[in-house]
Amino acid sequence: MTAPGGRLPRRLITDLGEGDLAPSRRFARRQIVGIIFGLVGIALIAAVAPNITSDNRSFAFEPPPDPLRFEFVPTTLVTVIGVVYLVCAVLSFLPERFDRLALSAQILSAGLAIPLILGVSLALSSAPETNVTNLLDESLVLATPIALGAMTGLWCERSGIINIGIEGMMLASAGVGYMTYAVLGSASSTGWLWVSILIAIVTGGLMASLHAVLSIRYQINQIVSGVVINLFALGLTGFLRSEVIVPSGHSKGTPTPEISIPLLKDIPILGETLFAGKPLHYLMYVVVFLTWLVMYRSAWGLRVRSCGENPHAAETLGINVITIRYQAVILGGFIAGLAGAWFSMESQSGFEDNMTNAAGFIALAAMIFGKWTPWGAFGGALLFGFARALGSRLQFLSVEVGDFGIPSEFFQSLPFLVTLVVVAGALGRAVAPAAEGQPFTPSK
Amino acid sequence: MTDPVDSPRRPEGSMEGLRRRVIEGWSLQPLLVPIYAIILSFIVGGVLIAIIGINPFEAYWALIRGMFGSWDRIAGSIARSVPFIGSALALAFAFRAGLFNIGAEGQLLVGGITAAWVGTWAFMADVPGIVAVPVIILAGAAGGFFWGGIPGVLRARTGAHEVISTIMLNSIALFMVRWIVNSRDPVILRDLDASVPRTTAIADSARLPELADSQPNLHAGLFVMIGLCIVVAFVLRRTTFGFETITVGTNPHAAHYAGISVNRIIILAMALSGSFAGVAAASEVAGTNSFFQPGTFAFIGFDGIAIALLARANPIAIIPASFLWGALLSGAPLMQAEAGVSIDVVRIIQSMVLLFVAADAIVRYLFRIRAEGGHHIEAAATGWVGS
């Protein structure tokens, strides 16, 4: 993986200064990944394929009554994927000019891991088939808060403000939003539901303004400020839950309704997955798209990015760095508010203490995974959502190796393992916005 | 710190004069911001309590009695703060190396389960406490060292950011430990006779002596943790390794030019900070319950972040900061029982303390305290890449 032209200066800094800081290794990262695929390939062909069942298994692609099926023999599936992995390993050791070929082979191999894991797990369980469409559906739904959180992080960090308070912003919005819904709308009125979602968004914006004031106006350590947000949200929502939500008598309510797009939803295979769902889930796609559009195709977006890379240069060009940073952080807060509303009013209707459960941190991971770009971060969120959906699916299949039932805890930790491996292995060093975390004092 | 020629003295006897004499006489200057920050935070909390229609003075009186009302309660408050010292120390040490280790939660769990496992080894019952106790503490340290070392190695070798990897490892540790403790088929460490999932009890010889029978009980782990703080402070200030660590944390490029192996420091700093969390977990296992239950460590690592930041990553300052944290949490239930105020008010107060200590400009403005040249944690502030 050679650095694209735009990164050249960064590369030079690395060569001159970082030296020891840059990972030191005998092989290029591409080759290490190739070796790993090669070893997995050998293991698949030599160890897994001979021992796995050769009874037919199938993936179903549509809702139950009469689904489209893809039948396969596990032995064949494993052998074929093993061979692909071996080829991938060989390609990784070709000379530098075949870089693109090796890279595509590795991406294909990584993608094949999905049918591999699913197929092997299915073969090891007693179930004859599993529904893939459902799995994709669940992945997309579970990716919603992660993708939204990652967009929050993106807006803050591209403007130069570190945000580890995404978790707190989401939690506070989830709590305050649901409180509004429970107290004013008795947790059932549709009109109040939308108002409450709006309140959640505003709450996210308020929490973000706190972060902005602390880190821009008072220039305090931005990580400290993020921790303050997280702690404060935890206390505030706990307080509101026990003092307001529980006494109101509406601890559970009606979540957002399912909506579907009339004709498109009848498209085979993909229709149900893409065109039937809940409103905030759809809004997520809109937010991701708009984030990309505004950040990369508008003057204001360029200004935000320039504040994150070199605020002094931006100031020289007449940009008000302080204002831009306030705007970007608060915009991020609104998005976090939407994510919070998803937790307490869409995925379920109700509020529990600490219900965001580290999603904000995972969103941060997705953002870094995506190298601080909207589509990359969205990809990270999808990967995480998929790993999570897959984890619960496999748990449901009760997979057994020999007599040893693989514990459900293993599948529950799957999303985290996947993220860890991906972040450590395939990705390489992510480059953060250059001016991130540095307070800016305008020169008068 | 103050220059009498420069600062015009107010007439003696006025409130301002008294205030100055107290501050200068007792050299309270560096403590002013934290003290006022605590007062301000209580005011904010009080306003919130008043809003829900409860008399804040009554609530706070109950809170204070809950914290210090009797010897038992004081001991309980101290006991509650003991594990926080370890988790905050884990954070603070990594901070000094320019690393943001939010994995104390997972390092506590792995350290704790390792200690609980080693404590049940057959030979532990036959050796005297003088051997068994250090063994179990070291076992906890080893578990934390291992779990903290993983993100260190990943950071140094592949560049994976420690914030992400420690968060992932926290969750992985939780599920792993849950499996070890819950599993009945096969039985790993679960005590099958117990009604709740927990490990079998460690050998009696490996238990830390109890100091007070409070709620929770105060045990000799307190001295272990305070000793650890002193050792860490000494290492950071007086040894080559400490100097290298701080240099890497302040400026990795300069450290590299000076011939320090940055990667080695990163790995060691992460692993060592994990081991501090491990020691805290081991001392809890050996001091309080004698068995391991994952739930006991919930939020201890998380709170450690705030405590370490409150103490500005200073190992000695962690001791009072942890005490403040533990005492507030230990006093809160009485406030809930007597005044009917939700425990979560304490969380709000804690976040406000951290806010006002960090944003000292607010406190200085409100109470007209002049700025001083104290050191701040610059290390982790510079960005994700830490360079």
Side-chain angles (χ1 to χ4, degrees):
Chain A
M1 283 183 224
T2 49
R7 294 253 175 79
L8 199 62
R10 181 82 199 175
R11 261 313 183 74
L12 285 176
I13 295 167
T14 312
D15 294 341
L16 289 174
E18 283 191 358
D20 197 44
L21 297 180
S24 54
R25 42 188 134 69
R26 215 169 303 142
F27 296 102
R29 185 183 297 273
R30 177 171 55 101
Q31 293 169 336
I32 295 181
V33 174
I35 293 173
I36 295 172
F37 274 125
L39 292 177
V40 174
I42 293 171
L44 286 178
I45 297 171
V48 181
N51 295 322
I52 210 161
T53 173
S54 46
D55 296 343
N56 273 11
R57 291 287 195 269
S58 57
F59 295 146
F61 283 98
E62 273 171 332
D66 183 29
L68 190 74
R69 284 201 179 81
F70 168 70
E71 287 206 11
F72 62 95
V73 183
T75 323
T76 324
L77 181 83
V78 169
T79 317
V80 168
I81 292 178
V83 170
V84 173
Y85 279 12
L86 281 181
V87 172
C88 168
V90 173
L91 288 179
S92 303
F93 279 88
L94 289 180
E96 190 101 352
R97 62 202 158 88
F98 295 107
D99 229 23
R100 292 195 85 92
L101 186 65
L103 191 64
S104 353
Q106 289 186 354
I107 292 173
L108 174 72
S109 307
L112 281 178
I114 296 170
L116 177 70
I117 296 174
L118 209 55
V120 169
S121 312
L122 199 56
L124 289 173
S125 77
S126 47
E129 73 168 23
T130 192
N131 194 315
V132 178
T133 316
N134 267 349
L135 189 66
L136 290 179
D137 210 16
E138 282 159 32
S139 316
L140 290 174
V141 169
L142 289 172
T144 309
I146 313 287
L148 288 172
M151 295 306 124
T152 304
L154 210 57
W155 278 113
C156 294
E157 308 224 336
R158 287 311 285 261
S159 79
I161 305 292
I162 297 179
N163 187 356
I164 68 161
I166 303 173
E167 174 82 1
M169 294 177 188
M170 286 186 186
L171 188 65
S173 340
V176 175
Y178 186 75
M179 181 185 76
T180 318
Y181 188 35
V183 172
L184 297 177
S186 307
S188 58
S189 131
T190 318
W192 280 111
L193 177 63
W194 298 111
V195 173
S196 308
I197 290 174
L198 211 63
I199 296 280
I201 294 173
V202 172
T203 310
L206 285 176
M207 294 297 277
S209 349
L210 177 63
H211 184 54
V213 170
L214 289 177
S215 46
I216 302 171
R217 163 91 174 75
Y218 289 102
Q219 305 198 345
I220 80 172
N221 183 320
Q222 292 165 11
I223 286 180
V224 179
S225 169
V227 173
V228 167
I229 301 274
N230 289 340
L231 262 180
F232 177 66
L234 201 61
L236 179 74
T237 53
F239 182 77
L240 292 179
R241 194 184 75 87
S242 54
E243 300 293 345
V244 184
I245 297 176
V246 174
S248 82
H250 299 289
S251 297
K252 287 265 169 289
T254 324
T256 50
E258 188 99 13
I259 50 176
S260 57
I261 301 168
L263 286 171
L264 291 173
K265 115 175 205 301
D266 299 326
I267 298 175
I269 303 180
L270 291 179
E272 283 285 326
T273 310
L274 293 179
F275 302 107
K278 295 200 159 192
L280 299 187
H281 173 63
Y282 284 129
L283 262 177
M284 179 267 287
Y285 297 113
V286 177
V287 167
V288 173
F289 177 74
L290 284 181
T291 296
W292 168 78
L293 192 72
V294 174
M295 193 177 272
Y296 286 90
R297 292 286 182 274
S298 79
W300 185 71
L302 180 63
R303 286 187 197 131
V304 169
R305 285 183 289 139
S306 69
C307 291
E309 293 297 336
N310 192 339
H312 294 283
E315 191 193 30
T316 318
L317 295 174
I319 296 170
N320 188 338
V321 176
I322 302 290
T323 313
I324 294 279
R325 283 190 172 174
Y326 268 109
Q327 289 169 341
V329 171
I330 293 171
L331 172 63
F334 288 144
I335 301 176
L338 198 60
W342 182 86
F343 277 102
S344 65
M345 287 173 278
E346 178 157 305
S347 79
Q348 67 178 85
S349 182
F351 182 80
E352 289 153 24
D353 285 341
N354 197 24
M355 78 183 301
T356 47
N357 206 3
F361 290 108
I362 292 160
L364 213 55
M367 180 198 70
I368 298 177
F369 169 90
K371 297 192 173 174
W372 283 268
T373 62
W375 295 115
F378 180 60
L382 288 185
L383 175 75
F384 199 86
F386 177 75
R388 192 153 206 179
L390 185 67
S392 49
R393 172 64 60 90
L394 296 184
Q395 202 179 326
F396 178 70
L397 284 176
S398 68
V399 179
E400 287 189 357
V401 180
D403 283 337
F404 179 73
I406 295 184
S408 63
E409 285 88 353
F410 174 77
F411 295 121
Q412 285 172 301
S413 65
L414 201 62
F416 309 103
L417 271 171
V418 168
T419 314
L420 192 65
V421 170
V422 169
V423 169
L427 235 68
R429 272 172 111 72
V431 181
E436 198 179 41
Q438 295 162 9
F440 176 77
T441 317
S443 49
K444 288 275 157 60
Chain B
M1 190 144 289
T2 47
D3 187 354
V5 184
D6 222 27
S7 52
R9 279 191 179 272
R10 300 280 172 89
E12 298 283 318
S14 72
M15 276 308 286
E16 186 62 15
L18 180 69
R19 204 182 82 145
R20 292 187 70 104
R21 260 188 302 159
V22 170
I23 292 164
E24 281 162 26
W26 297 353
S27 60
L28 287 177
Q29 197 71 35
L31 288 178
L32 277 185
V33 171
I35 290 172
Y36 282 121
I38 293 171
I39 295 172
L40 257 177
S41 314
F42 272 86
I43 295 173
V44 173
V47 170
L48 210 63
I49 297 173
I51 288 176
I52 56 165
I54 292 166
N55 181 350
F57 295 102
E58 259 174 47
Y60 282 152
W61 180 234
L63 179 64
I64 288 168
R65 277 184 300 121
M67 289 155 79
F68 312 114
S70 65
W71 287 115
D72 258 10
R73 291 209 177 267
I74 294 176
S77 293
I78 299 175
R80 192 75 193 262
S81 50
V82 170
F84 288 134
I85 300 178
S87 67
L89 200 58
L91 262 294
F93 188 75
F95 261 134
R96 288 301 188 83
L99 297 161
F100 194 39
N101 169 23
I102 26 187
E105 199 88 27
Q107 290 146 12
L108 280 160
L109 288 172
V110 175
I113 197 89
T114 316
W117 173 53
V118 169
T120 54
W121 285 0
F123 86 91
M124 291 291 272
D126 305 328
V127 294
I130 193 108
V131 180
V133 169
V135 166
I136 201 166
I137 297 287
L138 283 177
F145 190 88
F146 168 66
W147 208 249
I150 298 173
V153 170
L154 290 180
R155 171 71 195 261
R157 296 274 162 240
T158 73
H161 200 279
E162 77 274 4
V163 168
I164 305 182
S165 43
T166 48
I167 292 166
M168 299 306 139
L169 285 167
N170 280 348
S171 304
I172 296 171
L174 183 65
F175 289 120
M176 186 177 78
V177 162
R178 225 183 248 171
W179 173 59
I180 292 174
V181 175
N182 285 357
S183 175
R184 285 175 178 278
D185 179 32
V187 174
I188 305 171
L189 287 179
R190 184 178 179 137
D191 183 355
L192 290 174
D193 302 329
S195 54
V196 286
R198 61 173 179 82
T199 64
T200 38
I202 59 168
D204 277 341
S205 59
R207 300 213 52 184
L208 278 165
E210 191 175 81
L211 303 178
D213 185 23
S214 52
Q215 192 53 253
N217 67 329
L218 182 61
H219 54 83
L222 174 67
F223 303 126
V224 177
M225 298 321 301
I226 291 179
L228 198 59
C229 285
I230 295 169
V231 169
V232 171
F234 177 81
V235 167
L236 281 174
R237 264 177 224 167
R238 293 267 180 267
T239 64
T240 317
F241 174 66
F243 175 74
E244 289 179 347
T245 306
I246 293 175
T247 312
V248 169
T250 322
N251 187 339
H253 297 280
H256 175 59
Y257 276 120
I260 298 169
S261 166
V262 176
N263 282 342
R264 184 181 135 256
I265 296 291
I266 287 177
I267 297 174
L268 263 182
M270 281 305 285
L272 280 176
S273 72
S275 74
F276 301 149
V279 168
S283 95
E284 284 307 287
V285 168
T288 54
N289 289 330
S290 84
F291 52 78
F292 177 89
Q293 236 180 329
T296 27
F297 294 106
F299 279 109
I300 288 181
F302 183 74
D303 281 339
I305 304 173
I307 298 169
L309 295 173
L310 188 60
R312 297 196 163 157
N314 176 337
I316 302 298
I318 279 175
I319 301 170
S322 303
F323 178 64
L324 174 70
W325 222 259
L328 279 172
L329 287 176
S330 141
L334 192 72
M335 176 179 71
Q336 185 169 40
E338 291 197 353
V341 178
S342 147
I343 298 181
D344 300 291
V345 167
V346 163
R347 288 247 165 248
I348 297 177
I349 293 174
Q350 287 172 335
S351 69
M352 289 295 129
V353 173
L354 182 60
L355 186 156
F356 290 126
V357 168
D360 53 357
I362 302 175
V363 179
R364 286 180 199 286
Y365 170 75
L366 285 174
F367 294 96
R368 301 195 166 65
I369 308 166
R370 282 176 306 131
E372 36 140 346
H375 83 265
H376 299 266
I377 21 168
E378 304 294 354
T382 45
W384 288 115
V385 187
S387 55

